Amino acid sequence: PAPPGTIGMVKLYVGTLDAAERFYGNVFGARFAVAQGDNVHIVVFPSGGPGLVLIKKGPHDKKKHGAFIIQVPDKDVAEARAVANGARIQAEFEAPDGSRSGDVLDPWGNQVEILQRG
């Protein structure tokens, strides 16, 4: 059998580290944890879970993007905050159990699915 794995962090390629920290802080409450050199910062979420490794895009990284799903108590509030901070809505979904989610692209093209459980 395969050994068990655990997701440690999610990598996202961003334009500037300060702007990415502001976006994820304003929308989801993420806060700076540690710098890993001049081009990589790690942010963590107040309720735990994997952190985000924010990587400043270099000239060869233009097509690199990340994606993740974040669960929130109120999808509409989080989605509105994301849009107010530069995200673009891509799609909306509703599950038979009443869960709702919306895909947004952050200002750098990373896909974030905002999920509210039913």
Side-chain angles (χ1 to χ4, degrees):
T6 301
I7 294 175
M9 300 207 184
V10 175
K11 292 188 337 185
L12 300 179
Y13 290 85
V14 299
T16 66
L17 297 174
D18 289 342
E21 287 174 25
R22 277 193 307 277
F23 177 84
Y24 285 101
N26 290 339
V27 178
F28 302 114
R31 66 186 195 295
F32 173 81
V34 65
Q36 298 288 316
D38 293 337
N39 296 319
V40 178
H41 285 185
I42 296 173
V43 298
V44 295
F45 295 98
S47 58
L52 299 178
V53 178
L54 305 174
I55 303 167
K56 185 176 188 276
K57 281 188 180 186
H60 302 291
D61 297 328
K62 297 223 183 279
K63 293 184 179 181
K64 291 184 178 179
H65 297 97
F68 67 98
I69 299 169
I70 187 164
Q71 184 175 332
V72 299
D74 189 321
K75 177 196 90 67
D76 296 332
V77 169
E79 195 172 78
R81 288 184 69 89
V83 169
N85 282 276
R88 293 172 293 159
I89 295 174
Q90 297 298 296
E92 300 285 333
F93 311 98
E94 190 163 329
D97 70 354
S99 295
R100 300 180 317 122
S101 66
D103 280 346
V104 301
L105 291 182
D106 76 6
W108 307 278
N110 297 295
Q111 183 184 39
V112 180
E113 182 176 339
I114 301 171
L115 169 66
Q116 178 183 333
R117 294 270 184 209

